[in-house]
Every structure is written in C-alpha cells, then in structure tokens.
Amino acid sequence: MSKACGLEQEESGGPLARVCVAFLDHVSVERALSENTLAAYRRDLRRYNAHLAGVGVSSPAGVGSTHVAEFLSALREGDEDHSPLSAASAGRALAAVRGLHRFAVREGWAYDDPTVDVSSPSVPLRLPKAVSLETVEQLLVVAGPAEAPASGDRAGMLALRDRALLEVLYGTGARISEAVALDVDDITEALTEGDGPIGLVRFRGKGGRERLVPLGSYARRALDAYLVRARSFLAASGRSGPALFLNARGGRLSRQGGWGLLAAIAERAGVEGVSPHTLRHSFATHLLDGGADIRVVQELLGHSSVTTTQVYTLVTVEHLREVYAVSHPRAHRVRDG
C-alpha cells in the first residue's frame, strides 16, 4: 500500500511515510472519495514526502509551519521536474497536506498541526461559463432526434443515445461522471398531486452522497425513445449490465466517451468551448435567471455548501449589469460639455 505515496516499502519509509499510507487508506474507506480525487491525493502527498525528505524530515512530529509554507512556495515556483502550479492546483495540494496532518494529530502521531498558520493561495474568482438557451437547443438538435424514429443502423441508435444524454445533462445539471454512472433502475417516478407522476433521477455524487433530481418532460421523452429503440440494440453487441448509457460496443459509456461525443456535437454545431460542465453551469444559471431559490439550486446540483452555489448568482448579476448598461438611457456615461 505504500506505493500510494511513491515509497518502496512501508517498513523502509519513516513515520511520515506510514502516516501517509494510513491516511490514504482512511480517506479511501471512510470518505468514499472518487478515484480521480484519490489519485490527486497520492500525487500531492508523494511530492510532499519527497520535499520533506530533501530537508531531512521523516516524522510528522518534526514538520513545522515553515516546512509547509516552503512546500507551498515550491509548488508555485516549480522546479526541473515540475511545472509551476496555479493557485487552485497548489491549494488542492495543500488541502491534502492539511488532511494528512489533521489525521496525524487525531491518531496520536503528532501533537500539533503545522498547517494551521499556513494560508491557502488566493484563487482568482472565475465565473462559470454558461451558454444561452438558444445554444443549448442548437446542440440538442444537432445531437439527434428526441422522439422521431431513428434509422435502424448503429449511427441512428447512437444519435438517440446522444440526444438523451445531452437532455439529461442540461435537464438535471448532472456532472458527466454522474450521468455515465447511471443505471437503468436509477430512472424512476414519484406520484404528485394533480399532475400525475413525475420522473426522477437518482444520482450518486461526490463523497457517495445521493440525491433525487426531477426529470423534465423533454429529457424524459428523449430517454424513453433511447430506452425503447436504441439501448437494446446497443446492448446486443456487448456486456451492458445495468448501465443506462452504452457505448458503441455495448459497454457502459465512459466519462471520456461522454466528453468526446459532446465535443463532436459542438463541432458539428459550430459552437466553441462547450463541455459537459458547460451544460451543468447553464442549468444552474438558467434556473436562477428564472427565479429559482439558491437553496433549491444547491440541492439540485448536489453542493454540500451553498457557498459553492453562490458563484452562479454572480453570473446572473453580471448579466443584469450588462443588459442595464446597454438598454437603460440613464446608464450611459455622461458626455463632457
């Protein structure tokens, strides 16, 4: 297991190496982190161990705040083997180091947490990119038919799948990893008063958290068309299991496959800079523009904190400012004289 930190043997590594191994085991089991997050933790802690070994520190009890600050500085500056990291990437690495030392204190490997007095690098605020409803509709049309019969060939079946996937991404605000992880049984219905049943999707988000998100009528029709006509056709060519979205070989569509098909659709539509996350941003922004409560949007997106969701309010405020500046006769700059 010591290979998780880039060490040859747990026994030959010092106390810090053993804490590193125990910490990675802990977050893997107790916090149910995704494979991508665990891989990032491994890389960051491998580099942290190497940095401390270079200055003669091999025990968590021997690490001081100066060591942590110097490591953070080294991340930002880079070296012969590493390019300089952005503030966001360096902050992510520091988060792994913080978790390691908190774990060490809790488990009795050290008395003090040396990261307490080390501040994370400030990250410039980036407003999420959202596209207009017209652009979303353009992408959906290019993706394929929503209900019309598709041709019986593989291309026609894949077009039904592509349309259903894009409808789900935009209609629910799902992450691409959540969408491709869906099983057929994750699509269900709930009874409502007056309007009959409403479609629901069960997503498994970060940290293993589950949430139910309503499925709009457009997405539901596209999914029904895909399930009735295309999924069984694609499943016949491979081992599909319970997966909802299948690739051309009949297996579960991968995260990379989802990115690739959207990139191809965007290219055919003549739209640049579109990713699955763009559809998630657009989902949130359009909801807030339509008057949705930010707490509701938080739940739909699966954010653990409303602070994460609040960045979308900045997008809508910026849009309002631009419209006001262009449209209102008293918003223009006063001319001299």
Side-chain angles (χ1 to χ4, degrees), residues 50-102:
H51 174 82
L52 292 177
V55 294
V57 177
S58 61
S59 168
V63 180
S65 59
T66 301
H67 295 117
V68 179
E70 289 175 347
F71 173 65
L72 183 60
S73 178
L75 293 177
R76 298 285 281 139
E77 294 175 2
D79 55 36
E80 293 181 356
D81 300 319
H82 304 90
S83 300
L85 293 186
S86 66
S89 296
R92 183 210 63 211
L94 182 59
V97 171
R98 288 191 197 281
L100 173 69
H101 283 288
R102 289 171 184 166

Side-chain angles (χ1 to χ4, degrees), residues 19 59-63 101 103-114:
V19 176
S59 168
V63 180
H101 283 288
F103 176 80
V105 171
R106 187 169 65 248
E107 297 298 314
W109 290 79
Y111 293 107
D112 301 308
D113 179 358

Side-chain angles (χ1 to χ4, degrees), residues 138-153:
Q138 182 181 355
L139 292 169
L140 291 170
V141 169
V142 171
E147 296 179 276
S151 59
D153 60 7

Side-chain angles (χ1 to χ4, degrees), residues 292-305:
D293 183 88
I294 190 170
R295 293 286 182 179
V296 174
V297 178
Q298 174 195 354
E299 291 295 324
L300 293 174
L301 292 174
H303 288 160
S304 58
S305 171

Side-chain angles (χ1 to χ4, degrees), residues 298-320:
Q298 174 195 354
E299 291 295 324
L300 293 174
L301 292 174
H303 288 160
S304 58
S305 171
V306 73
T307 303
T308 308
T309 317
Q310 284 174 337
V311 68
Y312 293 101
T313 65
L314 299 178
V315 178
T316 58
V317 169
E318 179 67 14
H319 174 68
L320 292 174

